[in-house]
Amino acid sequence: MGWVWWRVPGFPGEPPGAGLPLHRVAALPGVSTVLSVTLFLLLGHQVMYTYVAPFTAHAGFGRTGLVLLVFGAATVAGIWVTGVLVDRRLRATLLGALALCTAVMLALGLGAGTPAVLLVSVALWGVAFGGAPTLIQTALVDASGPAHADVATSLQTTVHNAGIAAGSLTGGLALDRLGAGALPWTALPLIAGAFAIVGLGRVHAFPAVRRRT
């Protein structure tokens, strides 16, 4: 905080009433669609990610530290790929990432008992998920426009954290009632839902040609 006070120049604040109120930013074309993708993706992701330890134990692997290391390293690769493609192929890259996440949940549901399947699936999951928040936030700023991006991204932060909490709760209920083997099957329709929303939101939220803002 001291460094910011010392080095960051002061800028005048917005005059009262200059920005759109929260509900009007949420109602801008495409904004609610992008927020829905954020919610569904985080719901599905957290169902699995929160309970990686019991799932790997259920799969007979049990080395949670290695699984998390593979996932974390793969997210770095996903962020790099996203940086290369986000400006030119945002829609296609996000659809590819969500399709890959969906396929990973299917693979974990069917074949996680094989260590190679488990580790390769987790690596692909990391690549797919690593850049997804950047892709979604870029689409949100495009939809809201630079003038309203601050409010729109604050909405996304709220939805993102709500997705983390609700996804963890959903995964916990599935784990408690159905066992660890049900986790990927619980996550699968949620992530597939995010994929479907992106596929349908090609007019305002995720256009084939990105609007330069």
Side-chain angles (χ1 to χ4, degrees):
M1 290 176 61
W3 183 88
V4 170
W5 177 81
W6 176 45
R7 298 296 299 172
V8 176
F11 292 97
E14 291 183 353
L20 290 179
L22 200 68
H23 68 279
R24 289 185 61 187
V25 173
L28 290 171
V31 169
S32 61
T33 303
V34 178
L35 294 176
S36 298
V37 173
T38 301
L39 179 62
F40 274 87
L41 176 60
L42 265 295
L43 281 170
H45 172 75
Q46 288 299 132
V47 164
M48 276 297 300
Y49 187 74
T50 306
Y51 302 102
V52 164
F55 182 77
T56 55
H58 165 80
F61 190 70
R63 298 175 63 186
T64 307
L66 178 59
V67 171
L68 291 174
L69 176 63
V70 168
F71 179 85
T75 60
V76 177
I79 293 169
W80 181 82
V81 171
T82 296
V84 172
L85 297 175
V86 61
D87 286 331
R88 295 174 293 163
R89 299 185 180 276
L90 188 153
R91 176 182 173 82
T93 306
L94 183 56
L95 283 172
L98 294 175
L100 186 54
C101 279
T102 304
V104 163
M105 295 305 146
L106 182 61
L108 290 174
L110 294 174
T114 303
V117 173
L118 174 64
L119 292 175
V120 170
S121 297
V122 167
L124 294 175
W125 178 19
V127 171
F129 184 79
T134 299
L135 293 164
I136 295 171
Q137 184 161 312
T138 302
L140 182 66
V141 172
D142 287 350
S144 66
H148 311 302
D150 54 345
V151 176
T153 52
S154 70
L155 285 169
Q156 187 189 34
T157 300
T158 301
V159 171
H160 191 279
N161 286 305
I164 291 174
S168 299
L169 174 62
T170 303
L173 293 173
L175 179 65
D176 183 56
R177 297 178 182 181
L178 302 172
L183 292 172
W185 302 111
T186 305
L188 178 61
L190 296 168
I191 297 175
F195 175 84
I197 294 170
V198 174
L200 295 172
R202 63 179 305 120
V203 177
H204 298 293
F206 304 99
V209 178
R210 184 184 167 211
R211 295 185 295 273
R212 298 291 179 160
T213 56

